Amino acid sequence: MVLSLADQSRIIVRPSGTEPKLKIYCEVVKASGHASLSDTLLICEAHCESLIDTIGELLLQEPA
């Protein structure tokens, strides 16, 4: 399953081919503009961590 977000980020969820678990991937698109590559990378990493935290919270919620 691919979830495309409004800011061009993507979350990919797929089953493992060898183990009974889900794998979740996060992609972030960010134009560097005038920022250095290392600064842009830090921004992207923070955005991915935020998305992963949100996914974790959603997965741990009790069903309604």
Side-chain angles (χ1 to χ4, degrees), residues 11 24 26 45-61:
I11 299 169
I24 300 173
C26 175
E45 287 175 344
H47 187 70
C48 271
E49 287 177 15
S50 174
L51 290 174
I52 291 167
D53 289 344
T54 301
I55 292 167
E57 290 171 9
L58 291 171
L59 291 174
L60 293 174
Q61 284 183 355

Side-chain angles (χ1 to χ4, degrees), residues 1-3 10-14 23-27 55:
M1 172 188 352
V2 178
L3 303 170
R10 295 189 324 161
I11 299 169
I12 299 114
V13 181
R14 69 172 188 82
K23 294 191 175 193
I24 300 173
Y25 300 88
C26 175
E27 294 180 356
I55 292 167

Side-chain angles (χ1 to χ4, degrees), residues 4-31:
S4 297
L5 307 177
D7 65 357
Q8 298 181 329
S9 298
R10 295 189 324 161
I11 299 169
I12 299 114
V13 181
R14 69 172 188 82
S16 171
T18 58
E19 299 175 285
K21 64 181 178 181
L22 289 176
K23 294 191 175 193
I24 300 173
Y25 300 88
C26 175
E27 294 180 356
V28 174
V29 176
K30 176 76 175 157

